[in-house]
Amino acid sequence: AQSVTQLDSQVPVFEEAPVELRCNYSSSVSVYLFWYVQYPNQGLQLLLKYLSGSTLVKGINGFEAEFNKSQTSFHLRKPSVHISDTAEYFCAVSDGAGNTGKLIFGQGTTLQVKP
Amino acid sequence: ETGVTQSPTHLIKTRGQQVTLRCSSQSGHNTVSWYQQALGQGPQFIFQYYREEENGRGNFPPRFSGLQFPNYSSELNVNALELDDSALYLCASSLGRGSRTDTQYFGPGTRLTVL
């Protein structure tokens, strides 16, 4: 079964600093990866996804992620964060077993942006 | 375009009771997936419905059941509630049957508290 590991449970960072949220996945023949953001008391919103092609994926709100097959990683980055980026971030992989395309999520990383 | 909606927003039940949660899919989507998100955890897949039939199930007991209606809205029913059922229940809709590349669009969730 596929799995996802988010390496940091909390990431504190000052406003306008760069940030990287780390995600590793278990190896598979083909892999489809997603990053979602969850603001307090809300559902999940898709930031970006990797399906194929360019390994650098750009998403909404200035976020980007790089797919690295050799390191089985899909780290999320933003060059300059804002207070409004404070939220929970989830990395997920689409599971091929059972033909549901169900998402398998990591435990989440809390991004705390300080003024 | 209407997004995914869920009702109710919050719900408090006592152990042993039964609960029904509702979800309206995003316009044009025929697949609905349900996830359970315990506090401080990533969402876990409960089951998926495609065109009114169950299309896959996660590791949840039979007291978790569901329905999908002809308009592709959906219900999640939980019988004999246990304290550990306290969680945020998320509904997600997508366009393709179990397609790993489809984006799943999430609703805001229903917060269930079992006392």
Side-chain angles (χ1 to χ4, degrees), chain A residues 95-104, chain B residues 31-36 44-50 53-67 74-79 85 89 97-98:
Chain A
D95 190 11
N99 295 319
T100 63
K102 69 180 183 185
L103 294 172
I104 297 172
Chain B
T31 301
V32 172
S33 302
W34 285 91
Y35 292 82
Q36 180 195 65
Q44 286 196 305
F45 176 76
I46 303 174
F47 45 58
Q48 182 182 91
Y49 280 82
Y50 170 74
E53 296 206 356
E54 187 177 290
N55 188 48
R57 189 177 183 91
N59 189 25
F60 281 81
R63 59 189 185 84
F64 285 78
S65 63
L67 282 173
S74 177
E75 285 183 356
L76 164 65
N77 299 290
V78 187
N79 293 322
D85 295 333
Y89 288 85
R97 178 184 183 179

Side-chain angles (χ1 to χ4, degrees), chain B residues 3-67:
Chain B
V4 179
T5 60
Q6 293 184 243
S7 63
T9 305
H10 296 87
L11 204 51
I12 299 175
K13 292 285 188 177
T14 57
R15 196 168 45 181
Q17 284 188 313
Q18 177 266 342
V19 69
T20 297
L21 310 182
R22 295 178 174 83
C23 170
S24 291
S25 303
Q26 185 163 315
S27 178
H29 287 183
N30 51 25
T31 301
V32 172
S33 302
W34 285 91
Y35 292 82
Q36 180 195 65
Q37 185 181 14
L39 200 62
Q41 304 293 318
Q44 286 196 305
F45 176 76
I46 303 174
F47 45 58
Q48 182 182 91
Y49 280 82
Y50 170 74
R51 293 191 174 183
E52 303 177 60
E53 296 206 356
E54 187 177 290
N55 188 48
R57 189 177 183 91
N59 189 25
F60 281 81
R63 59 189 185 84
F64 285 78
S65 63
L67 282 173

Side-chain angles (χ1 to χ4, degrees), chain A residues 30-34 49-58 67 74, chain B residues 100-101:
Chain A
S30 60
V31 61
Y32 306 103
L33 295 157
F34 303 78
K49 60 184 178 181
Y50 172 78
L51 303 180
S52 65
S54 173
T55 57
L56 184 62
V57 181
K58 294 191 182 297
F67 172 66
F74 189 55
Chain B
R100 295 180 63 200
T101 59

Side-chain angles (χ1 to χ4, degrees), chain A residues 13-91:
Chain A
V13 63
F14 287 104
E15 193 174 19
E16 297 183 8
V19 71
E20 178 180 80
L21 307 184
R22 299 181 294 167
C23 172
N24 284 92
Y25 63 91
S26 59
S27 182
S28 177
V29 175
S30 60
V31 61
Y32 306 103
L33 295 157
F34 303 78
W35 273 100
Y36 282 86
V37 60
Q38 186 175 36
Y39 298 103
N41 301 313
Q42 294 188 28
L44 302 177
Q45 180 183 6
L46 180 70
L47 278 176
L48 49 79
K49 60 184 178 181
Y50 172 78
L51 303 180
S52 65
S54 173
T55 57
L56 184 62
V57 181
K58 294 191 182 297
I60 62 171
N61 300 340
F63 284 94
E64 62 182 32
E66 185 159 15
F67 172 66
N68 188 319
K69 189 173 182 178
S70 62
Q71 297 187 8
T72 61
S73 67
F74 189 55
H75 300 335
L76 181 70
R77 301 186 182 104
K78 187 170 182 178
S80 175
V81 294
H82 303 287
I83 295 288
S84 60
D85 292 324
T86 295
E88 191 79 13
Y89 291 79
F90 291 97
C91 180

